[in-house]
Amino acid sequence: MSRTTRARAARAIAPVAGLLAAGLLVWQGSYAAFSASTVNQGDSWATGQLALQNNGGNGSSYAQTTTTGLFGETNLVIGSSGQKCITVSSTGSIAGSLRLYRDAAFTGTNANALAGALRVTVEAANTSGADVSANCTGFPTTGVSTPYNNVALSAVPSTYAAAAPLALAAGNQKVAYRISWSLPTTGSNTTDSALQGSTATTNLNWEIQ
Amino acid sequence: MATSSAAALPAGAPEEAPQPRRTSTPLFVSALLARTWLWFIAGCVVVTLLPMLLGWRPYVVQSGSMTPRIDVGDVVLASPESDPAALLGRVTVFDDPEKNGLVKTHRVITLNDDGTMVTKGDANPTPDTATITIDDVRGLGRLLVSFVGLPMIWVQTGQWLFFGLFVLSILIAAWLVGRDKDGDEDDEPTDPDDGDKVVPLPQRLSAGGSSQIAASSPPADPGRGGRMQRVLRGTVVAVVCAFALGIPTTSAAFAATTRNNANSWSVPNWNYTTLVNAFGPFLYWKLDDTSGATAADTSGNGRTGTYTNSNQYTRNVVGALTSETPNRAVTSTSANACIYSSSGVAGVAAPQQMTSIVWFRTSSTNGGKLLGFEAPRTGVASPGNNGGTYDRHLYMDGQGRVWFGVYNGGYYTISSGTGLNNNAWHMAAATMGPAGMALYIDGVLVDTDPNTTGEATTGWWRAGCGNLSGWGTYWGGNNNPGTDTNTTANRGFLGSLDEVTVETSVLSASEIYTLYLAR
């Protein structure tokens, strides 16, 4: 085969090879991504770029994706207050923005009125030592930020997008949250009295993106 | 790309031409690779853009929560879809329901009964927290073109080195191809001794057979026309590439959540008696007694009271606590009426931290003592040699105003300011402690004084009567004790009394307020 023939053939081959490779890329990628066999890869996140757990106000050995009932405050009166701490652990391999928000709806009798009357302050701080538990012993004294400062419980955002951000680096990180609440007067005897018999229940969500 | 160059030479020319112009192997291979590279890129761009004719839309994936199946820089081609059921388990492109302008590419994992859909990134441990509706859906993932969006990602994320290398590779490839072609069309007198002459070839990029067509066309100005064509071609490619860079992006956002469920706060139906007893009162006379001389102490401390002359109090009148059953109170029928600490109750040191609360109802303009700390236990005595001491008291003046007075070598008084003798129930609460003195009427703070202590005496609590001699400066209206000729006058309160409470601690404003609300 002469060099000329070789060159001519090569020029004919180049488009075929190039387009074939492009097509292969599409077919291969699409097949892997969209084939029906990939439905609900619930357990396929071994690459695990982001992961969160919280200790529910208990020690680090209690860390779970879902915990229950940090706050179970009963017998509130006007002027009641309290605070509890909870530690969120991140084991993601990339940095992200960690945010605390509540569920969209409050449940319970007359819940919205009570959620509107309750005030919360949320403080957050990276902690390198042991988990900070519900009694807040060992809550960091430095590097404390205040995502929410004395806002109505109902005014705590209910979506990630609206929630106050807290930058979190990659790697194993722990963030201690101190959540203080109070029930001050609404300024109206009638409204305050109407809070009797009410309960507000919500879930607290931490999400990192 | 497949358009022909006008710079066609007769197909058979190379074979017939005697001069041995040949391409070198390295040049030949590099030109081949360069062509393949350009065709590959062109193919990717075409594959990405062609489906738009079907109404499919391409999206460049910006983040990696769908890995390992969809990587950053891939392009997802999505077709419009309006049936939620078709989306179940499928990769779906949708507007972030949190309305932050993001377009997300995640998998629909659950269809809810209310028509919303739960989505999740394959690489995320937990589903997305916000559900989507069919209105959020932009399309169902149909085709994935790997890597094609990477140049755009590089631009967006400022990875100029990668982007520069990519552009450079195109330029080099174009140059290599161009050089190869130049060799076809132009003599290369610069290296006559070099064996690596470029062999002229038909300018068809397509299969060799079509060169027959080219062969029939007359040879044109090979150099100039070819360059013009290539410039045009390059422009087209550049425009297509620029358009490709304009493909909208979608984020397959990494996310992880953790939650603490069922956090609750609840307010009970407040019960006045329960609240008071929760404070641990020193004594608590509810005055629910319907007969007998004893006023029961609900505090459990056994500090009962004694009604003077039972017939001076009407029992079982309607009290102040409308939410409680029974709701009883007593009404004095004589200015000599009084409720003393009972004889078995030991005198105590006057508290330096205290709260006293009493409910009252009257239309009298006589005034009189509502609740105070006094010695002796019964009756009244003048100060000084007779040992009479009396302060830490709530009293009403002739104008119906309520005063809280503490004696500490001087008179410290605060008052309601307005008359309360309107025949309605009112709650007077007084506190003294390190923060000073405070007077609350109906749960609302009305006056304060910085005085923090009272005279150190020993005495007993009593309600409805007592000595007020010396307190005439702090009085309005009739019956001023300053005009008392008898310093042992017993200033009885004419009216109804209820819920007499004494604490040896300072209740907070909100505690007193809640008590009022719980009435």
Side-chain angles (χ1 to χ4, degrees), chain A residues 11 30 65 67 69 71 192 203, chain B residues 144 180 258 260-263 513:
Chain A
R11 286 176 193 171
S30 301
T65 302
T67 58
F71 290 100
D192 289 345
N203 300 332
Chain B
L144 186 77
D180 193 22
T258 183
N260 184 266
N261 285 341
N263 288 284
Y513 176 61

Side-chain angles (χ1 to χ4, degrees), chain A residues 159 161, chain B residues 94-104 117 119 128-133 136:
Chain A
T159 63
Chain B
F94 55 91
D95 287 314
D96 191 317
E98 296 187 343
K99 307 294 178 210
N100 51 12
L102 281 180
V103 179
K104 271 189 175 177
M117 290 167 271
T119 54
D128 298 329
T129 44
T131 57
I132 63 169
T133 67
D136 296 322

Side-chain angles (χ1 to χ4, degrees), chain A:
Chain A
M1 178 190 320
S2 75
R3 283 171 183 271
T4 308
T5 314
R6 184 181 68 168
R8 185 185 293 157
R11 286 176 193 171
I13 287 166
V16 175
L19 290 176
L20 204 63
L24 199 66
L25 211 60
V26 174
W27 177 79
Q28 208 274 341
S30 301
Y31 179 78
F34 302 124
S35 62
S37 65
T38 56
V39 167
N40 196 7
Q41 296 295 320
D43 53 358
S44 71
W45 58 284
T47 48
Q49 265 67 7
L50 287 172
L52 283 182
Q53 290 191 321
N54 77 80
N55 71 355
N58 301 297
S60 57
S61 58
Y62 291 88
Q64 300 283 336
T65 302
T66 303
T67 58
T68 304
L70 179 65
F71 290 100
E73 312 298 317
T74 57
N75 283 322
L76 266 59
V77 298
I78 302 297
S80 289
S81 63
Q83 68 176 27
K84 286 197 172 155
C85 286
I86 189 169
T87 303
V88 173
S89 306
S90 168
T91 53
S93 57
I94 58 174
S97 175
L98 179 63
R99 304 182 188 185
L100 166 62
Y101 58 93
R102 62 173 172 85
D103 274 10
F106 291 98
T107 56
T109 309
N110 201 19
N112 289 337
L114 181 55
L118 282 164
R119 292 289 180 276
V120 293
T121 293
V122 176
E123 298 162 287
N126 283 76
T127 178
S128 52
D131 277 24
V132 177
S133 297
N135 63 9
C136 293
T137 302
F139 187 82
T141 52
T142 57
V144 179
S145 64
T146 309
Y148 306 114
N149 189 4
N150 200 31
V151 300
L153 181 60
S154 59
V156 171
S158 61
T159 63
Y160 179 86
L166 182 75
L168 200 60
N172 289 347
Q173 302 280 335
K174 281 184 181 179
V175 180
Y177 281 85
R178 179 162 62 195
I179 303 170
S180 311
W181 63 270
S182 64
L183 181 61
T185 173
T186 61
S188 154
N189 283 2
T190 310
T191 310
D192 289 345
S193 274
L195 293 176
Q196 293 184 63
S198 60
T199 297
T201 303
T202 189
N203 300 332
L204 297 176
N205 305 285
W206 286 263
E207 181 166 353
I208 186 167
Q209 287 189 7

Side-chain angles (χ1 to χ4, degrees), chain B residues 186-507:
Chain B
D186 306 329
D187 250 320
E188 299 264 349
T190 43
D191 28 354
D193 305 327
D194 193 337
D196 298 345
K197 291 292 183 189
V198 179
V199 180
L201 269 182
Q203 295 309 295
R204 294 276 173 191
L205 285 172
S206 46
S210 58
S211 64
Q212 295 303 323
I213 303 163
S216 63
S217 36
D221 176 4
R224 217 167 255 287
R227 283 208 181 83
M228 282 300 290
Q229 287 281 334
R230 285 197 293 278
V231 167
L232 271 175
R233 226 181 291 166
T235 309
V236 168
V237 168
V239 165
V240 169
C241 286
F243 186 58
L245 278 176
I247 295 173
T249 55
T250 175
S251 81
F254 280 117
T257 57
T258 183
R259 50 174 48 212
N260 184 266
N261 285 341
N263 288 284
S264 72
W265 289 262
S266 63
V267 182
N269 287 310
W270 296 316
N271 176 278
Y272 189 97
T273 307
T274 305
L275 286 174
V276 169
N277 281 322
F279 295 138
F282 179 82
L283 66 80
Y284 182 13
W285 298 338
K286 286 187 65 63
L287 307 184
D288 285 351
D289 321 289
T290 53
S291 64
T294 302
D297 177 11
T298 311
S299 74
N301 293 326
R303 298 189 175 98
T304 55
T306 299
Y307 298 99
T308 57
N309 298 328
S310 295
N311 60 359
Q312 291 177 346
Y313 280 102
T314 303
R315 314 294 183 89
N316 203 14
V317 301
V318 175
L321 306 182
T322 52
S323 66
E324 288 200 9
T325 305
N327 175 29
R328 301 186 194 123
V330 297
T331 303
S332 64
T333 56
S334 160
N336 293 319
C338 198
I339 307 169
Y340 301 111
S341 286
S342 298
S343 59
V345 175
V348 293
Q352 298 299 351
Q353 293 193 39
M354 55 148 289
T355 302
S356 61
I357 305 171
V358 60
W359 287 78
F360 59 90
R361 173 181 175 174
T362 188
S363 53
S364 168
T365 55
N366 276 356
K369 194 176 285 195
L370 295 164
L371 173 62
F373 190 77
E374 186 154 350
R377 181 178 65 81
T378 64
V380 291
S382 59
N385 293 338
N386 291 320
T389 58
Y390 40 91
D391 79 332
R392 296 165 173 83
H393 47 211
L394 285 159
Y395 64 86
M396 182 181 281
D397 69 14
Q399 296 174 338
R401 296 182 300 183
V402 171
W403 296 76
F404 176 49
V406 172
Y407 183 80
N408 188 20
Y411 297 90
Y412 299 93
T413 57
I414 48 183
S415 95
S416 67
T418 56
L420 299 166
N421 53 345
N422 60 350
N423 204 28
W425 282 106
H426 292 286
M427 182 178 93
T431 63
M432 183 190 70
M437 297 161 56
L439 176 64
Y440 301 84
I441 299 296
D442 295 339
V444 178
L445 180 67
V446 293
D447 203 1
T448 59
D449 187 278
N451 174 55
T452 59
T453 50
E455 192 174 30
T457 59
T458 299
W460 293 261
W461 291 93
R462 64 167 69 181
C465 75
N467 203 343
L468 281 170
S469 177
W471 293 82
T473 308
Y474 315 101
W475 189 277
N478 299 335
N479 224 13
N480 190 322
T483 64
D484 282 359
T485 53
N486 181 353
T487 57
T488 57
N490 190 15
R491 312 294 300 214
F493 173 75
L494 274 174
S496 301
L497 293 174
D498 199 3
E499 308 301 317
V500 172
T501 310
V502 174
E503 318 269 345
T504 52
S505 61
V506 179
L507 295 190

